[in-house]
Amino acid sequence: MVSEPTTPVVALLENNNIPLHAADDQETAIAAFKKYDVTILPVVDSKERLVGVLTVDDVLDLAEKEATEDMQKLGGVEALGGPYLKIDLAMMIKKRAPWLVILFLSEMLTTTAMGFFEKEIAKAVVLALFLPLIISSGGNSGSQATTLIIRAMAIGEVTLRDWWRVMRREVFAGLALGCVLGAIGFARISAWSLFSHVYGPHWPLIGLTIFFSLIGVVLWGTLAGSMLPFVLRRVGVDPATSSAPFVATLVDVTGLIIYFTIAMVVLKGTLL
Amino acid sequence: MVSEPTTPVVALLENNNIPLHAADDQETAIAAFKKYDVTILPVVDSKERLVGVLTVDDVLDLAEKEATEDMQKLGGVEALGGPYLKIDLAMMIKKRAPWLVILFLSEMLTTTAMGFFEKEIAKAVVLALFLPLIISSGGNSGSQATTLIIRAMAIGEVTLRDWWRVMRREVFAGLALGCVLGAIGFARISAWSLFSHVYGPHWPLIGLTIFFSLIGVVLWGTLAGSMLPFVLRRVGVDPATSSAPFVATLVDVTGLIIYFTIAMVVLKGTLL
């Protein structure tokens, strides 16, 4: 930085140090510090007048707070807004209860949905035995997908425009993962059936029901988990609201409909 | 910083700028920058010789990478180690399949556990209808608890020594949250029973089964979710491994045993 003594100061400015605006949100500030690799940035008002500077250690605190909030939302809790051990117990319960209640009310739909298949369950109780396995597999794959996309959005790796690319990737990932779990499920039922008669003479059909259901539910979970953050951001809601428990609940309800529908087709005329 | 020209440089050092050691881990570096609010810190080797400096913008990148990894683990995915859209599709499936398979194999225990209650389900199919609702409530409360504790541990708010304080808080939180969900569940069954005979004449007993099961499962989910990170850290495993799906799976298996056991006690002589 050696210049002629007569050079005006403005000419020494590196013009890639675009200032932050006072109205910019926290994520913009974090992104700017990462992009320009600086330790301090000027902040200007709407008329480009300097109102102060932001230092990178403030931003470090900010980035950590943002990540904590996102993580808590992802876990299905309203952001605590304070250290876990210091926050008042009643306040903490108040932060956790609403989401738990919303999830509970949504999950009640599983009871309603299963009511439609009560006759089938009574005829083939074996269907009930595999239910938690099937629906949780959808929830787990959805949880993976939503976590990856929410974080990728938060750090700017994925934007709204990328939804189609993400969907294409997740269709392949969902099918591949569904086939892996389906194959394990089929193998498990076959292995059990060779040693005992627990699943009766129609075990290959039960195995096929589980196989196809797992592919369907995992694919659906993956798609729901990856697309929900896009839908939320599109309508202006924080994508992190699409928490892992929220996706799991959504996939539980729809997953059991997929499962029983496949069962009714495959087992028609034998067990059902 | 105006001193006599003869003052030795060492006397100008602020002695609260404790240097980082080359072998310190990333989290120590992040914590030091946050604690001292500086933009640069010296790094020394084991003989306290200067080997270089660490600037806060490096640390900002580091903190973001750490948070991303923790979040991905929390969602039940091995850390991707690269931007979502750039990572090879086959590689991404390879990062997601192992956890999904481990969760699937663990969740198979639900099928085994339910096998022990097959006779009860055949007698009272209504029990199957509430199963997803009960076990997912345990999973959701466990997911909340594990997310809060893992993040609080990562940013140093909670240490191993705090396990007892955390447990006491979570016992209260779990009981309170369980009572809230239990009350809603009981109200739902009562309301339905007033308008239809879907649950038969013994609906108050079914309501009580759901009420007690929800308290038991939510309390258990909360305790499992909050204590598992302590157990993992104690044995030297990254607490973030105790992901939301992992806790949900654990609670699914144990939750259905709690549910059917309570059902057998409450419904003995009527439905069972």
Side-chain angles (χ1 to χ4, degrees), chain B residues 16-266:
Chain B
N16 61 351
N17 277 3
I18 289 130
L20 289 167
H21 289 85
D24 286 342
D25 62 16
Q26 306 187 351
E27 287 184 14
T28 310
I30 296 168
F33 275 90
K34 281 188 56 201
K35 187 166 173 196
Y36 301 119
D37 264 349
V38 289
T39 55
I40 190 162
L41 274 179
V43 180
V44 297
D45 65 14
S46 56
K47 290 179 176 126
E48 305 286 323
R49 287 176 306 213
L50 187 72
V51 290
V53 294
L54 190 62
T55 60
V56 76
D57 49 313
D58 297 331
V59 168
L60 192 61
D61 285 338
L62 220 61
E64 189 175 275
K65 237 182 70 192
E66 282 274 319
T68 300
E69 282 182 19
D70 273 9
M71 224 176 274
Q72 291 176 345
K73 283 188 192 162
L74 207 53
V77 201
E78 204 183 314
L80 279 193
Y84 171 85
L85 281 173
K86 292 208 179 115
I87 204 161
D88 187 54
L89 185 59
M91 175 58 79
M92 193 177 65
I93 292 171
K94 252 170 86 178
K95 296 266 186 183
R96 284 158 73 164
W99 261 112
L100 219 50
V101 169
I102 291 171
L103 293 171
F104 185 76
L105 293 175
S106 317
E107 190 81 26
M108 273 186 179
L109 290 174
T110 59
T111 307
T112 313
M114 281 184 76
F116 293 112
F117 302 106
E118 205 173 340
K119 240 186 298 175
E120 282 74 21
I121 300 171
K123 267 199 217 165
V125 175
V126 65
L127 287 179
L129 304 192
F130 289 99
L131 187 73
L133 182 65
I134 303 284
I135 60 179
S136 74
S137 298
N140 290 338
S141 51
S143 161
Q144 285 192 336
T146 206
T147 304
L148 290 176
I149 300 305
I150 288 171
R151 186 58 183 166
M153 274 186 175
I155 58 182
E157 283 171 14
V158 164
T159 62
L160 263 187
R161 275 195 311 268
D162 297 314
W163 76 272
W164 177 241
R165 286 177 67 195
V166 170
M167 188 163 184
R168 238 175 17 198
R169 286 179 80 100
E170 292 299 321
V171 166
F172 283 108
L175 281 175
L177 295 168
C179 286
V180 171
L181 297 194
I184 299 175
F186 190 87
R188 196 264 198 203
I189 290 173
S190 312
W192 254 242
S193 301
L194 291 180
F195 294 109
S196 73
H197 297 289
V198 63
Y199 301 127
H202 295 302
W203 67 262
L205 292 179
I206 297 177
L208 278 182
T209 302
I210 302 303
F211 178 73
F212 289 124
S213 298
L214 281 167
I215 295 178
V217 166
V218 169
L219 177 61
W220 168 241
T222 306
L223 284 179
S226 57
M227 289 299 112
L228 204 60
F230 285 97
V231 175
L232 291 177
R233 173 155 282 189
R234 186 69 191 74
V235 299
V237 177
D238 182 356
T241 312
S242 158
S243 62
F246 187 69
V247 170
T249 299
L250 184 76
V251 176
D252 276 358
V253 182
T254 43
L256 74 87
I257 296 176
I258 294 175
Y259 173 46
F260 282 113
T261 307
I262 290 177
M264 283 168 76
V265 172
V266 176

